[in-house]
Amino acid sequence: MVKDIFKNTVLDYPSYSKKIILKQAVNEGLIINNKRCNGQFTLDFTDRIDVTNDQTIEDKFKHVLDAENILSLIEEYEYKKPYRHFCYFKYDELNIEKIKDLYKNHKVNIFDKKGQKIVDDFEKPTIYLFGELIYFKFSYKLQNDTGNIIRYVMLVIFDKENNLLEIRFDQVGIAYKSSYNYYKDRIQDILNYFKENIELDVNDIDFKSVVDYIKSEKDDITIIAQRMTRNGTTAYLETYEDEESIIPILGELDSFIEEHKELFERDQNTREIRDKLQAFRNEIEVKSDLPLVKFRMDDSGIKFGIIHNYKDTNFSLFTLYGELIGEEMMGSVKEYIMRSYKELTASISIDSISAEKK
């Protein structure tokens, strides 16, 4: 049953994911895809699946899904693929012995690449170890109104070096979601699972302060959109595609002042008007809540957004925009955000020490 649902789910993977999986299967010697055969017979004395003569990527993919070693490879791919959404939590201590007890008591599955067989199920999570990272994969059985059943995955990563818990997930079709708060509820279920099973306490990270720090201190990242709430009114401001990352209204006001610099420098009165305009512009931003901000990392071009207090919670939800071209996108965002978080924390500590000495 699990295997059939798994196959049914992966058939809906996007084409770029199918290409990555097939390429990896070729590289690992699990299938044959001889692009230069020109219709000639491929001689092979192993049990590898030959997809050479299948015409489309869809045909090749369907051809291999009855092989359990291919499904096992896809299970591993789910640990490494990029996900659209993710969130972070801090923890003080990770009890490794409690995690070992989960395995000893058969409360988790263990992914073993050498086994070449599927291990995920709907009853308990699967653990995967990669370097200093510990992955937990949670699989859920979801059914729509027509009776179609899929397997939905949420991934948890314990980063022991940074005492960081990360939850990754993709969107699922609205027909499969049981409620408006589906993702929020699943995230809370996962946090409850670790609280109950390994006595893990997590803390929310104040990413609003991190965003403020990035805006004031960083020059290698650009705000491309923001949702501003002020005096009960909400405005969504996004840069124009054909202009150089100028936020409407606020950014345009900055540009207007800069473009008319000579006019504003004409005399004391014009300088006073300029100063009042700048003060008014800054007051709008400082006194406004920013429940959503979108950034573009200047070096890589990666675009991501942060929704603060996601659905009335205390945590922030991150979203990648554009094509998901590799797990390194998530790694780049994580590295940048956590470096900024550490810089902010260090600066606060220095300020506190300085204040105590006065």
Side-chain angles (χ1 to χ4, degrees):
M1 179 66 173
V2 174
K3 183 177 178 180
D4 292 336
I5 296 173
F6 189 14
K7 288 167 56 179
N8 184 48
T9 303
V10 299
L11 283 173
D12 286 331
Y13 275 11
S15 293
Y16 71 84
S17 292
K18 293 174 181 174
K19 291 177 182 177
I20 292 172
I21 292 167
L22 289 174
K23 182 179 180 180
Q24 185 176 343
V26 170
N27 292 340
E28 294 189 12
L30 302 180
I31 68 173
I32 299 171
N33 187 23
N34 190 352
K35 298 179 181 179
R36 301 180 181 179
C37 72
N38 296 321
Q40 296 180 1
F41 175 71
T42 302
L43 187 63
D44 181 65
F45 296 104
T46 70
D47 58 356
R48 292 183 297 173
I49 303 172
D50 191 342
V51 299
T52 300
N53 293 322
D54 294 318
Q55 295 301 308
T56 68
I57 193 74
E58 302 297 325
D59 292 336
K60 295 177 189 290
F61 203 69
K62 290 177 181 178
H63 190 166
V64 302
L65 285 186
D66 282 325
E68 193 153 347
N69 58 0
I70 299 297
L71 295 178
S72 175
L73 181 145
I74 296 172
E75 280 188 344
E76 184 182 24
Y77 169 73
E78 290 175 335
Y79 294 103
K80 301 176 180 178
K81 69 181 284 292
Y83 289 81
R84 182 71 66 184
H85 306 286
F86 44 104
C87 51
Y88 303 112
F89 302 88
K90 293 289 286 185
Y91 62 85
D92 292 326
E93 184 178 357
L94 181 63
N95 194 326
I96 299 298
E97 292 303 316
K98 289 286 186 180
I99 295 178
K100 291 180 180 178
D101 287 341
L102 290 177
Y103 170 65
K104 292 175 184 177
N105 296 323
H106 307 288
K107 292 185 177 181
V108 295
N109 300 308
I110 301 293
F111 180 82
D112 180 11
K113 184 179 179 68
K114 295 179 181 178
Q116 293 197 342
K117 62 180 181 180
I118 61 174
V119 298
D120 294 344
D121 65 45
F122 301 121
E123 304 302 322
K124 52 191 175 184
T126 301
I127 293 180
Y128 175 83
L129 303 178
F130 185 76
E132 289 298 306
L133 302 176
I134 301 175
Y135 292 75
F136 277 73
K137 187 199 295 183
F138 292 82
S139 299
Y140 303 99
K141 181 167 64 175
L142 304 182
Q143 181 173 333
N144 66 8
D145 294 339
T146 64
N148 190 53
I149 301 175
I150 64 169
R151 170 178 165 274
Y152 178 68
V153 165
M154 296 185 78
L155 199 66
V156 177
I157 304 172
F158 285 100
D159 179 348
K160 293 184 289 182
E161 181 180 349
N162 295 296
N163 283 32
L164 195 70
L165 182 153
E166 178 182 0
I167 300 177
R168 298 178 175 181
F169 59 96
D170 283 324
Q171 288 185 329
V172 66
I174 191 170
Y176 293 97
K177 292 191 295 185
S178 56
S179 72
Y180 172 75
N181 293 320
Y182 180 78
Y183 305 117
K184 181 185 80 169
D185 293 342
R186 285 298 189 204
I187 290 170
Q188 189 58 57
D189 288 343
I190 288 172
L191 297 180
N192 290 341
Y193 171 88
F194 289 116
K195 174 67 174 177
E196 294 169 6
N197 288 277
I198 64 172
E199 299 178 1
L200 182 78
D201 290 314
V202 300
N203 298 301
D204 300 301
I205 300 174
D206 181 8
F207 283 112
K208 280 190 176 183
S209 295
V210 176
V211 167
D212 288 340
Y213 174 79
I214 290 172
K215 289 170 60 180
S216 63
E217 303 296 330
K218 297 289 188 178
D219 58 5
D220 57 351
I221 192 167
T222 303
I223 294 177
I224 57 174
Q226 57 190 25
R227 182 181 298 144
M228 305 182 68
T229 301
R230 186 169 185 260
N231 298 330
T233 302
T234 298
Y236 182 77
L237 310 175
E238 186 165 8
T239 60
Y240 303 120
E241 289 294 330
D242 57 345
E243 293 190 17
E244 287 221 5
S245 303
I246 297 176
I247 292 288
I249 305 174
L250 298 182
E252 291 171 334
L253 182 56
D254 291 336
S255 298
F256 177 82
I257 294 172
E258 180 62 27
E259 289 170 4
H260 298 83
K261 186 189 308 183
E262 293 183 3
L263 178 63
F264 284 114
E265 286 289 345
R266 182 167 295 177
D267 56 41
Q268 180 60 35
N269 291 328
T270 56
R271 285 193 290 271
E272 185 176 348
I273 292 173
R274 178 201 60 196
D275 293 342
K276 287 185 179 295
L277 279 174
Q278 290 176 329
F280 174 67
R281 179 250 186 266
N282 293 334
E283 181 189 10
I284 290 175
E285 198 155 42
V286 168
K287 292 187 176 181
S288 297
D289 187 28
L290 299 180
L292 180 150
V293 181
K294 291 183 183 179
F295 291 103
R296 184 187 66 239
M297 300 171 69
D298 295 340
D299 288 343
S300 63
I302 294 173
K303 296 179 182 179
F304 67 94
I306 310 175
I307 300 175
H308 300 304
N309 301 116
Y310 175 65
K311 292 189 182 297
D312 297 321
T313 64
N314 292 321
F315 68 85
S316 298
L317 180 70
F318 289 72
T319 299
L320 283 174
Y321 296 98
E323 184 180 0
L324 300 180
I325 57 176
E327 195 272 342
E328 60 271 13
M329 293 178 68
M330 307 185 75
S332 296
V333 172
K334 173 186 170 183
E335 193 277 332
Y336 189 93
I337 288 294
M338 296 316 298
R339 185 174 71 244
S340 300
Y341 169 71
K342 290 177 181 178
E343 290 172 2
L344 172 61
T345 302
S347 66
I348 292 174
S349 298
I350 292 172
D351 290 343
S352 298
I353 294 173
S354 300
E356 290 175 2
K357 288 182 178 180
K358 291 182 179 179

